[in-house]
Amino acid sequence: MTGNARERAQAMDTLEQRVVERTAELSRREAELQVAHTRLADLERLKSQFLANASHELRTPLTNVKAYLDLLERGRPEKRERYMTVLKREADLLHLLVENLLNVAELDFGRAQPRLVQVDVNQLLETLRGTCDLLVADRSLRLQWVLAPDLPLLIADVRMLRQVITNLVSFATDQSASGATLTLQTQRRQEGAGDWIALSLTGPGLSTAQAMTGRGAAEVNRSQAIMPGGGLRLAICQEIVGRLGGRMTTISPPDGASSLTIWLPVAREE
């Protein structure tokens, strides 16, 4: 083979190699674009679902407020105190839902970053006892407190954790029949190599949360958690708990009370 022929052959080999490499690069980019397109379609679907269900949750207390304002004008005077109680409860729920929507936006845009500190979860719960007891009393429910003694500190954002607990209790009160008993429990749990503080809310009306997670214990993801009847509150709980390095699970046995549990990591000893 002459020198010129050899050079032409080498040039052809180089060209073919470049074509192969370019084709592989185009295939890789096409696959990436397809993945991005699928993710965008999923986000659009979740956005539509989120807006529809948020609207549903806001509509219910708004309808109740309008109905009881009308009862204040036209209803029986001896029931005025009852009407005012319901109005206050529904106004508080509206406030909570609006705060949740604002917090979802802050989390999505990265404006709400957790300030992680060591927290005594039992002590934090004691500061919320009055608020939680009022929430359940408004629905003629009972809340039992079962707080394990001598728990280690956990790592969390105090403000965000308070919001999670309030949302869980609010959700539970909406899902439970009058006269039911709810149990709020803390305990330390070992799972795998992890050391966790588990905060569980148990009650007969919480089986509706199981529909979001399938059977047995499962993590609540954001898309599953957004649903009518309180799901917005569970969605913000899951979002916050995830930002705090934890997770949220549900257990719904066929013949017993269902549980919602948040798991947060124990603070490491220095």
Side-chain angles (χ1 to χ4, degrees):
M1 181 180 294
T2 66
N4 288 338
R6 186 180 301 108
E7 290 176 0
R8 287 196 297 270
Q10 290 175 346
M12 287 297 296
D13 289 343
T14 300
L15 180 59
E16 289 178 359
Q17 180 64 29
R18 289 179 178 177
V19 169
V20 170
E21 292 174 354
R22 187 61 175 169
T23 301
E25 176 68 13
L26 289 174
S27 297
R28 184 181 64 82
R29 292 189 178 185
E30 183 180 3
E32 290 177 349
L33 286 173
Q34 184 60 45
V35 171
H37 176 75
T38 301
R39 291 182 63 186
L40 182 60
D42 288 342
L43 287 173
E44 286 296 325
R45 177 180 55 81
L46 291 176
K47 176 184 175 183
S48 298
Q49 184 183 5
F50 176 84
L51 291 174
N53 287 295
S55 298
H56 175 91
E57 287 207 42
L58 289 169
R59 186 180 297 116
T60 300
L62 278 173
T63 300
N64 289 338
V65 166
K66 292 177 65 176
Y68 277 87
L69 283 173
D70 185 66
L71 284 173
L72 279 176
E73 292 182 354
R74 308 170 185 271
R76 298 165 61 178
E78 64 271 22
K79 291 191 174 182
R80 183 180 179 85
E81 183 176 353
R82 170 60 180 165
Y83 300 154
M84 291 300 296
T85 298
V86 175
L87 278 170
K88 182 182 182 304
R89 184 186 70 210
E90 297 302 314
D92 288 343
L93 177 56
L94 271 175
H95 180 265
L96 179 63
L97 292 174
V98 171
E99 286 293 319
N100 282 333
L101 287 171
L102 293 174
N103 285 328
V104 167
E106 288 183 347
L107 288 168
D108 283 344
F109 286 106
R111 291 196 292 262
Q113 297 299 325
R115 300 176 60 183
L116 300 178
V117 296
Q118 295 185 348
V119 180
D120 183 327
V121 66
N122 285 347
Q123 188 176 74
L124 177 63
L125 284 170
E126 288 295 342
T127 67
L128 291 172
R129 186 185 286 264
T131 299
C132 293
D133 284 343
L134 283 175
L135 280 173
V136 299
D138 282 345
R139 296 296 178 93
S140 300
L141 303 170
R142 180 169 174 258
L143 180 60
Q144 291 182 329
W145 297 74
V146 184
L147 308 183
D150 303 322
L151 287 177
L153 300 177
L154 57 79
I155 296 295
D157 180 300
V158 173
R159 182 182 64 85
M160 289 183 172
L161 186 53
R162 288 172 64 93
Q163 184 181 2
V164 167
I165 295 166
T166 303
N167 274 329
L168 287 181
V169 175
S170 173
F171 171 80
T173 59
D174 285 347
Q175 302 300 316
S176 301
S178 178
T181 297
L182 302 172
T183 301
L184 188 63
Q185 181 177 16
T186 59
Q187 55 186 310
R188 184 176 187 173
R189 294 188 187 178
Q190 301 283 339
E191 184 176 284
D195 194 5
W196 306 87
I197 299 296
L199 191 154
S200 301
L201 187 62
T202 304
L206 298 183
S207 58
T208 53
Q210 185 62 29
M212 309 169 200
T213 59
R215 297 179 180 178
E219 292 189 12
V220 179
N221 67 49
R222 185 171 174 184
S223 63
Q224 290 171 318
I226 301 171
M227 62 175 288
L232 180 62
R233 281 162 282 178
L234 291 188
I236 191 66
C237 287
Q238 190 274 338
E239 187 81 12
I240 290 174
V241 170
R243 298 295 178 98
L244 298 180
R247 68 188 192 280
M248 192 163 87
T249 61
T250 65
I251 296 178
S252 186
D255 56 353
S258 302
S259 295
L260 277 165
T261 302
I262 60 173
W263 303 67
L264 292 169
V266 169
R268 294 182 180 179
E269 296 183 1
E270 298 295 337

